[in-house]
Amino acid sequence: MTADLFAEDPGAARQPLGRHACLLRGFALGAVDELLTALATVQQASPLRHMVTPGGFTMSVATTNCGPLGWISDRRGYRYTAIDPAHGRAWPAMPESFMTLAREAAAAAGFDGFEPDACLINQYVPGARLSLHQDRDEADFGAPIVSVSLGMSATFQFGGLARTDPVTKVSLHHGDAVVWGGEDRLRFHGVMPLRGAPHPHPQLADRRINLTFRKAG
Ligand code: SIN
Ligand code: FE2
């Protein structure tokens, strides 16, 4: 997050959300078709499903993963696994297009050398939401989180290090990326219930897909 880096890329619309957090408006737009093709292959191998929280609630977002590790939730808790519990085989490989985008978004936000080993894929349909939480199931918090939005717009909530801290609301649109790491790595965040107009892309019309890249292991 240096002024020099910004100067090298004058076209990038980079909006700070914290000292080590920023929104990269439209960062993924050039990669959308490639990402959607790869996503279809991932979903065939490990379909989206509604996971159950440790408290017994069924999540409104539908979830799958790709990469060596995948995030899961069930009655036993939240954790990363190498195996998709839906069928007992490894999660599908992280597509090259996903990896490249994650590395480039991290670097654009000032985090060089990001090597994610997990990509959590969340699908939101109207009404689906993700309540305020921290990403803290990863083995160490040295690497940033890279989050990429596709399809319908959503209201992202970005809070502080305590659940009760004030929350900034940010509209996330198709192609936007958000990166948070360093001192912002454990900020609470969430997504308000999805509402509003369908997206013109035929594969994304009535839904929002979020790709969240992490270094989990
Ligand atoms: C997440 O926190 O895992 C997802 C955030 C989002 O959907 O924008
Ligand atoms: Fe999260």
Side-chain angles (χ1 to χ4, degrees):
M1 304 261 286
T2 64
D4 285 342
L5 208 153
F6 187 69
E8 278 166 26
D9 190 8
R14 192 173 55 174
Q15 301 175 20
L17 296 173
R19 227 162 67 85
H20 296 136
C22 68
L23 163 61
L24 302 166
R25 197 61 97 190
F27 192 85
L29 281 177
V32 167
D33 288 336
E34 230 183 327
L35 296 175
L36 290 178
T37 301
L39 180 63
T41 306
V42 167
Q43 278 182 237
Q44 265 162 27
S46 280
L48 290 161
R49 81 291 306 256
H50 292 273
M51 292 189 181
V52 173
T53 66
F57 294 99
T58 299
M59 294 177 70
S60 59
V61 299
T63 298
T64 187
N65 291 276
C66 60
L69 294 172
W71 182 90
I72 65 165
S73 175
D74 60 18
R75 291 306 298 248
R76 286 159 50 211
Y78 305 128
R79 64 199 176 280
Y80 284 92
T81 64
I83 297 296
D84 179 350
H87 51 51
R89 296 185 301 278
W91 297 102
M94 178 103 65
E96 202 48 50
S97 53
F98 280 35
M99 199 70 185
T100 303
L101 177 68
R103 282 189 189 121
E104 288 178 355
F111 298 98
D112 285 328
F114 181 48
E115 290 294 322
D117 55 13
C119 175
L120 171 67
I121 299 160
N122 282 323
Q123 173 177 279
Y124 300 72
V125 296
R129 63 191 285 269
L130 199 59
S131 53
L132 219 52
H133 66 277
Q134 293 169 297
D135 288 5
R136 56 179 318 139
D137 302 318
E138 299 71 33
D140 85 79
F141 303 137
I145 302 288
V146 172
S147 155
V148 175
S149 295
L150 300 170
M152 287 178 68
S153 298
T155 305
F156 183 63
Q157 301 167 293
F158 199 60
L161 296 176
R163 186 180 290 279
T164 49
D165 284 348
V167 164
T168 303
K169 289 184 182 167
V170 187
S171 290
L172 294 184
H173 306 298
H174 181 62
D176 289 350
V178 182
V179 182
W180 61 99
E183 69 178 36
D184 296 317
R185 173 63 179 74
L186 289 175
R187 300 249 311 236
F188 276 86
H189 58 281
V191 178
M192 309 262 292
L194 192 74
R195 54 189 289 272
H199 190 270
H201 195 296
Q203 274 169 267
L204 292 166
D206 52 0
R207 59 198 181 117
R208 168 177 187 261
I209 298 282
N210 179 261
L211 310 175
T212 304
F213 297 92
R214 290 97 177 254
K215 174 84 182 74

